[in-house]
Amino acid sequence: MENLTRTSTEFKGKTVVITGADRGIGEGIAERFAKDGANVVLASIDKNVFGTAQKIAQKYNVKTLPVLVDVTKEEDVQRLYKEAVDEFKTVDISVQNAGIITIEHFDKMTRAEFDKVLAVNTTGVWLCCREAAKIMIKQGTGGRLINSSSGQGRKGFIYTPHYAASKMGVIGITQSLALEFAPHNITVNAFCPGIIVTDMWDYNDRVWGEILSNDKKKYAKGELMAEWVEGIPMGRAGQPEDVSGLIAFLASKDAAYITGQTVNIDGGMFFS
């Protein structure tokens, strides 16, 4: 597949904070900003982030900062942005990408499971936006906040009411903060990935496949995802670089007049 993403120097010297940056979409976003010369702060709850940060720094000859963070913990989030400023002096762009999913029948799903998904996916986004915006407002030079929603921000899927609620909540947070931060020249937008080739979708394929299997059809590994991909107008699953190109645009000068919007990046799965 031809790579249609562009490389620029617009982000050279800018500081970008990305949560959930150790793998998948987050790693792809970090690579894209590194390619464009940014200082990249990679945050994750997984120690794998240290290796990811080192790899990106060496590949693109940029400065990276890995930080272990649990986005559900206020003190962790505050420490993340403090470390970013201590290291790079500014925070210009913050991408709230950290997210989790579980899949379960309603009567088997625990309250703790429900609460954890909302804590990471929704409260974590708000906490990061809050801390990043404090810094951006103090700097007085504007900024970009970009939040991860999902196809389930548009339409809930079966066995994931907590995930759907969490991602629809991100869209509401995005719209509300866009109004509040506009006077400070801080734009707030969100993105809705569809089926993207990542570890999360390996999990989705396996667990949804197990639950949806019945006497008439048993889903082997990869079969359910392949069935869903057949219904995508573009005829393929997305790659992390498909998402990172959109993020780079939303962070760019070209998107300076776009705020409060949520953009689907799903090959045509949803049109609203």
Side-chain angles (χ1 to χ4, degrees), residues 6-16 29-41 56-57 59-64 88 92-93 248:
R6 63 181 184 175
T7 301
S8 73
T9 58
E10 179 177 346
F11 302 115
K12 189 173 180 61
K14 300 288 187 180
T15 301
V16 184
I29 295 168
E31 282 217 38
R32 176 54 194 262
F33 280 111
K35 185 189 298 184
D36 287 352
N39 303 316
V40 184
V41 181
I56 289 174
K59 183 175 180 179
Y60 296 103
N61 193 30
V62 296
K63 295 178 180 179
T64 63
F88 297 123
D92 304 288
I93 301 154

Side-chain angles (χ1 to χ4, degrees), residues 235-247:
R236 65 175 178 87
Q239 298 291 333
E241 56 263 33
D242 292 313
V243 180
S244 65
L246 170 65
I247 305 308

Side-chain angles (χ1 to χ4, degrees), residues 27 67 105 111 153 190 211 247 256 264:
E27 180 179 359
V67 184
H105 290 274
R111 172 65 185 271
I211 295 178
I247 305 308
N264 297 350

Side-chain angles (χ1 to χ4, degrees), residues 246-263:
L246 170 65
I247 305 308
F249 167 71
L250 291 174
S252 73
K253 294 178 182 176
D254 290 342
Y257 199 54
I258 299 173
T259 196
Q261 305 305 306
T262 300
V263 183

